[in-house]
Amino acid sequence: MYEERVVLCASNAYEQKYYLNEDFAALPQAVQDELKVMCVLYTEDVGGVLSLVFEEDGTLVFEVNADEGDLLFDEIGSVLLMKRMQEEKRELLAALELYFKVFFLGEDTGELLATEP
């Protein structure tokens, strides 16, 4: 169904905007709210633009970009905060990957759940 990477959501510190891909409007409101808080707090803390993107295989990755001349962007803080968020939100991120693989890529849930650690 999807042959390219798909943006789940993004937060932009420069424009002070948050975006949730309308394809994910069916996610529970609590999940949507948690994604928004997570992304906005990230960009408020370190700056730049944070995007959560599904790769073609369904893996959810964090992408961070900053304007070249942005002297306030905290590159070290960005890496540390990203690692902390990935650790603290591990279950949410794994559930989102499963959701994407089942509902967007059409993979079999039985096979997916059997291969999870």
Side-chain angles (χ1 to χ4, degrees):
M1 183 173 184
Y2 285 88
E3 296 179 8
E4 298 180 358
R5 299 162 27 107
V6 177
V7 174
L8 169 62
C9 59
S11 181
N12 185 324
Y14 305 115
E15 297 178 14
Q16 295 185 336
K17 290 187 178 182
Y18 172 78
Y19 164 78
L20 176 69
N21 186 335
E22 62 188 32
D23 290 346
F24 296 94
L27 285 172
Q29 189 61 48
V31 172
Q32 292 182 36
D33 292 344
E34 192 166 350
L35 287 169
K36 183 175 184 177
V37 167
M38 182 176 75
C39 292
V40 170
L41 287 177
Y42 179 91
T43 54
E44 285 294 314
D45 192 23
V46 298
V49 178
L50 172 66
S51 302
L52 275 63
V53 180
F54 288 104
E55 296 285 347
E56 293 173 20
D57 67 353
T59 303
L60 185 61
V61 295
F62 286 55
E63 291 185 354
V64 179
N65 296 297
D67 288 347
E68 193 173 314
D70 184 358
L71 300 176
L72 298 178
F73 179 71
D74 183 0
E75 196 168 335
I76 294 171
S78 171
V79 172
L80 295 174
L81 183 54
M82 186 184 317
K83 286 183 180 186
R84 190 176 88 211
M85 283 181 7
Q86 289 171 329
E87 179 65 29
E88 290 175 358
K89 305 291 184 185
R90 180 180 33 227
E91 288 180 23
L92 171 66
L93 300 174
L96 287 166
E97 284 184 350
L98 182 61
Y99 176 87
F100 184 78
K101 288 176 181 178
V102 170
F103 291 104
F104 290 79
L105 300 180
E107 295 185 17
D108 180 25
T109 57
E111 291 178 20
L112 290 172
L113 294 174
T115 60
E116 295 219 353

